[in-house]
């Protein structure tokens, strides 16, 4: 059996924050290994790693028992990025970064690029510059004993921001490039699996609020998926596109099967999300080898949950990892150049070296004359101890004549320092006077406190929402526009279906400026 898992990890370091290390000596190496152990898969594909090569650390990249492959964003740091971790028993025979082939190194690449004449070189370079695709090619053995080729395409497709129409065009061009590459691999005789975050909910059953969305079926991303995928169901004769949504093949009518939720609104608590993560396989592969396709909503650490599939094939590992493997990076392979490598000993000419080390006879004569002159002109210390001579340490401890002697000081007698005995009446009077002053100070402090409380009343209590009569929460408008930065109140409960009484109500109230 071959088990595959895909997970939009929302930062490869974020799910490791809650992992505790029992052994301090190994705490830097254990967390990522624990995540892979928890996912329990032969091949793990991660999206949105949010790391670049300069910040990638060895504990995240080099895991015992695995070989890893990374694709980084080349434009922005802490953005996008995908990674694939393969067990040593599933070592790929080839690995490649990007879809266009421009990032290929011609050494251990996957190949099969298809017809990309519709794209310019600049466009292909831009589509591959964000680190959104990573290909690994494996040898598999079927239950019949036949050895075949399987290519995994780990993708993190772009998100179409409604406020940026150019990103929608970028997303659709990325989809087109992905389809061209996948179909070219199929035409070359390889089985293909596309898995990752496609950033599109395909059917209304895959979105929590599809009924209230205008033109849901007319979305360009959904239309693209209609052409890529076959009809739901694994029966023969019902296929159209070259790929099958493996989860809907096994669970065609399962509602609430979501993989992404809003963390701001707490929508995961009531399962108010959408299905954006997929495992898509070519038709022959899904029908012949797929045993299950699943979601793992119980796995926390990201705004997405892992998805995966189980295939009734065994992996035939390669004898050596492809050149893209992170174990071959100089910083992890022990071949990192050190600064001492750049400090080279200079080889001097023997004649020059001898002449520079042994001065001539004339030079030696001048040096002796200069030394004798310096000795004759050097001033000798005075034996009589003139005023210019160096002082000895004891001279700083002799009494100075400019200060009067301590015996000549007129000190007051002990009797003058003693105050006369105070009578009992005076003591009582002082006590009463002290209490009166303390009372006056206390009254004055209370007056000041009440004054400042009236002036600075503090934050006003939160208003109650109309649906549950519970205290609201304050939010801030972050969307560009005339209301940017304004505060408002809304229901504090998590977002959920409108028919669920335990979900957030529709209460809204602008906050008055202070």
């Amino acid at each position: 059996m071959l088990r595959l898992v895909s997970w939009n990890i929302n930062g490869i370091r974020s799910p490791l924050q809650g992992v505790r290390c029992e052994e301090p000596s190994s705490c830097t190496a254990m967390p990522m290994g624990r995540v892979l152990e928890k996912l329990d898969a032969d091949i793990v594909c991660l999206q949105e790693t949010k790391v670049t090569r300069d910040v990638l650390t060895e504990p995240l990249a080099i895991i015992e028992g695995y070989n890893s492959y990374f694709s980084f964003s080349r434009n922005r740091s802490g953005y996008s990025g995908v990674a694939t971790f393969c067990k040593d028993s599933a070592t790929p025979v080839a690995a490649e970064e990007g879809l266009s082939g421009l990032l290929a190194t011609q050494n251990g690449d996957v190949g099969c690029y298809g017809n990309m004449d519709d794209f310019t070189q600049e466009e292909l370079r831009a589509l591959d510059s964000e680190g959104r695709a990573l290909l690994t090619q494996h040898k598999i053995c079927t239950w019949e004993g036949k050895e075949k080729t399987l290519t995994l395409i780990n993708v993190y497709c772009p998100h179409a921001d409604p406020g940026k129409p150019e990103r929608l065009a970028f997303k659709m061009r990325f989809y087109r490039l992905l389809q061209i590459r996948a179909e070219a691999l199929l035409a070359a005789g390889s089985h293909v699996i596309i898995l990752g975050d496609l950033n599109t909910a395909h059917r209304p059953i895959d979105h929590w609020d599809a009924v209230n969305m205008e033109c849901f079926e007319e979305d360009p991303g959904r239309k693209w998926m209609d052409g890529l995928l076959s009809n739901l169901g694994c029966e023969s004769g019902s296929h159209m596109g070259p790929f099958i949504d493996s989860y809907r093949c096994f669970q065609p009518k399962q509602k609430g099967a979501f993989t992404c939720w809003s963390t701001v609104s707490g929508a995961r608590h009531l399962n108010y999300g959408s299905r954006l993560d997929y495992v898509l396989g070519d038709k022959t592969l899904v029908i012949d080898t797929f045993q299950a396709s699943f979601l793992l909503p119980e796995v926390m650490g990201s705004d997405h949950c892992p998805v995966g599939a189980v295939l009734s094939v065994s992996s035939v590992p390669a004898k050596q990892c492809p050149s893209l493997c992170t174990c071959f990076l100089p910083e992890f392979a022990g071949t990192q150049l050190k600064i001492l490598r750049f400090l080279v000993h200079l080889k001097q000419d023997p004649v020059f070296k001898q002449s520079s080390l042994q001065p001539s006879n004339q030079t030696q004569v001048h040096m002796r004359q200069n030394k004798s002159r310096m000795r004759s002109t050097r001033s000798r210390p005075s034996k009589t101890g003139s005023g210019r001579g160096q002082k000895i340490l004891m001279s700083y401890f002799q009494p100075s004549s400019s200060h009067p002697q301590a015996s000549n000081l007129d000190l007051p007698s002990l009797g003058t320092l003693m105050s006369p005995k105070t009578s009992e009446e005076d003591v009582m009077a002082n006590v009463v006077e002290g209490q009166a002053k303390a009372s006056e100070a206390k009254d004055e402090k209370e007056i000041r406190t009440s004054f400042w409380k009236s002036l600075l009343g503090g934050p006003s209590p939160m208003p109650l929402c109309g649906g549950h009569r519970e205290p609201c929460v304050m939010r801030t408008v972050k969307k560009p526009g005339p209301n940017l930065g304004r505060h408002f109140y809304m229901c504090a409960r998590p977002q959920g279906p409108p028919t669920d009484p335990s979900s957030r109500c529709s209460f809204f109230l602008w906050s008055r400026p202070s």
Side-chain angles (χ1 to χ4, degrees):
M1 293 293 180
L2 182 67
R3 179 180 168 92
L4 312 176
V5 169
S6 172
W7 188 17
N8 181 320
I9 205 168
N10 194 20
I12 195 171
R13 290 168 287 186
S14 59
L16 313 181
Q17 296 175 356
V19 180
R20 289 187 177 182
C21 296
E22 298 178 359
E23 300 180 6
S25 60
S26 61
C27 64
T28 57
M30 286 298 294
M32 193 62 212
R34 288 184 179 179
V35 171
L36 297 177
E37 181 182 357
K38 186 175 183 180
L39 296 177
D40 188 25
D42 299 291
I43 302 175
V44 177
C45 297
L46 304 178
Q47 300 87 42
E48 204 172 359
T49 56
K50 295 183 178 180
V51 292
T52 47
R53 180 174 172 178
D54 59 326
V55 298
L56 182 65
T57 60
E58 186 171 347
L60 293 177
I62 308 299
I63 308 299
E64 184 178 358
Y66 290 83
N67 47 91
S68 62
Y69 309 85
F70 281 76
S71 178
F72 309 104
S73 173
R74 286 162 168 75
N75 297 331
R76 294 169 54 184
S77 179
Y79 175 75
S80 188
V82 293
T84 300
F85 288 82
C86 304
K87 280 187 176 181
D88 291 340
S89 58
T91 301
V93 296
E96 184 180 331
E97 184 182 5
L99 297 172
S100 66
L102 296 180
L103 304 180
T105 59
Q106 306 300 327
N107 184 14
D109 295 326
V110 175
C112 304
Y113 302 103
N115 186 2
M116 300 183 181
D117 295 339
D118 294 340
F119 298 87
T120 63
Q121 291 292 311
E122 292 76 11
E123 190 176 11
L124 291 174
R125 192 173 292 107
L127 291 171
D128 274 345
S129 65
E130 295 185 357
R132 294 185 175 274
L134 189 63
L135 286 74
T136 54
Q137 197 166 71
H138 307 259
K139 292 295 182 180
I140 58 173
C141 184
T142 64
W143 63 274
E144 299 172 347
K146 296 180 180 180
E147 187 173 297
K148 297 185 177 181
T149 302
L150 172 62
T151 304
L152 299 182
I153 306 180
N154 177 10
V155 291
Y156 172 46
C157 296
H159 170 68
D161 191 343
K164 298 179 179 179
E166 68 276 5
R167 291 302 293 178
L168 176 59
F170 184 87
K171 176 179 181 178
M172 298 310 301
R173 296 298 281 174
F174 186 89
Y175 278 159
R176 177 60 182 158
L177 182 61
L178 172 61
Q179 185 172 358
I180 291 175
R181 185 69 187 274
E183 292 178 351
L185 289 165
L186 284 176
S190 172
H191 288 297
V192 178
I193 293 179
I194 302 173
L195 70 169
D197 181 2
L198 298 187
N199 252 319
T200 296
H202 185 207
R203 299 294 186 189
I205 195 176
D206 299 322
H207 198 282
W208 55 267
D209 200 23
V211 178
N212 297 324
M213 296 180 65
E214 296 182 3
C215 304
F216 182 88
E217 301 287 349
E218 301 301 321
D219 179 77
R222 296 183 179 92
K223 285 190 173 183
W224 172 80
M225 293 189 71
D226 289 339
L228 180 72
L229 300 178
S230 299
N231 291 336
L232 299 180
C234 292
E235 298 81 6
S236 60
S238 63
H239 308 294
M240 294 175 58
F243 290 90
I244 291 179
D245 180 355
S246 63
Y247 183 80
R248 286 305 174 197
C249 179
F250 290 93
Q251 305 289 342
K253 298 182 180 179
Q254 179 65 45
K255 296 182 179 181
F258 303 140
T259 65
C260 181
W261 304 266
S262 172
T263 56
V264 176
S265 61
R268 191 167 187 171
H269 180 70
L270 297 175
N271 193 26
Y272 203 55
S274 56
R275 192 168 71 98
L276 306 180
D277 305 85
Y278 301 83
V279 179
L280 311 178
D282 65 83
K283 294 186 292 187
T284 304
L285 184 69
V286 173
I287 295 173
D288 293 343
T289 66
F290 270 58
Q291 298 297 305
S293 186
F294 54 86
L295 313 180
L296 298 176
E298 68 277 4
V299 178
M300 299 295 177
S302 171
D303 56 342
H304 292 247
C305 78
V307 300
V310 178
L311 286 70
S312 60
V313 298
S314 60
S315 177
V316 181
K319 295 181 180 180
Q320 185 179 2
C321 297
S323 59
L324 188 63
C325 182
T326 52
C327 67
F328 296 128
L329 294 178
E331 55 265 36
F332 302 139
T335 58
Q336 180 78 28
L337 295 178
K338 298 182 180 180
I339 194 171
L340 292 178
R341 296 284 301 272
F342 299 94
L343 303 179
V344 184
H345 293 284
L346 295 177
K347 295 183 179 180
Q348 296 180 347
D349 187 13
V351 178
F352 175 76
K353 182 177 181 181
Q354 183 177 4
S355 62
S356 62
L357 294 179
Q358 298 179 358
S360 61
N361 295 333
Q362 185 178 2
T363 306
Q364 292 180 1
V365 172
H366 285 293
M367 290 174 62
R368 292 194 188 100
Q369 293 177 356
N370 291 336
K371 287 184 179 180
S372 61
R373 291 173 183 173
M374 291 176 63
R375 290 173 183 173
S376 61
T377 57
R378 185 179 298 172
S379 60
R380 297 182 179 180
S382 176
K383 295 183 179 179
T384 57
S386 62
R388 295 182 180 179
Q390 183 176 358
K391 295 183 179 181
I392 61 176
L393 185 63
M394 292 300 297
S395 64
Y396 293 95
F397 294 93
Q398 294 178 358
S400 177
S401 60
S402 61
H403 298 283
Q405 297 293 332
S407 59
N408 297 334
L409 295 176
D410 296 332
L411 298 177
S413 62
L414 184 62
T416 58
L417 295 176
M418 297 288 294
S419 59
K421 188 175 182 179
T422 308
S423 61
E424 185 176 356
E425 292 79 4
D426 295 339
V427 172
M428 292 300 296
N430 292 336
V431 171
V432 173
E433 184 179 359
Q435 291 179 352
K437 290 182 179 180
S439 178
E440 292 178 0
K442 184 178 180 180
D443 295 340
E444 185 178 358
K445 183 178 180 180
E446 291 179 354
I447 293 173
R448 291 179 179 177
T449 302
S450 60
F451 169 75
W452 285 111
K453 282 184 176 180
S454 62
L455 186 63
L456 305 175
S460 57
M462 291 288 179
L464 303 180
C465 67
H468 310 98
R469 305 304 299 171
E470 296 175 352
C472 295
V473 292
M474 178 182 288
R475 303 295 187 194
T476 305
V477 178
K478 297 182 179 180
K479 185 177 181 180
N483 294 322
L484 179 64
R486 289 190 63 183
H487 301 291
F488 62 92
Y489 300 102
M490 62 185 302
C491 180
R493 294 200 178 191
Q495 190 177 14
T499 57
D500 189 351
S502 63
S503 63
R504 175 188 300 170
C505 64
S506 58
F507 180 82
F508 178 88
L509 178 66
W510 285 112
S511 174
R512 296 181 179 179
S514 57

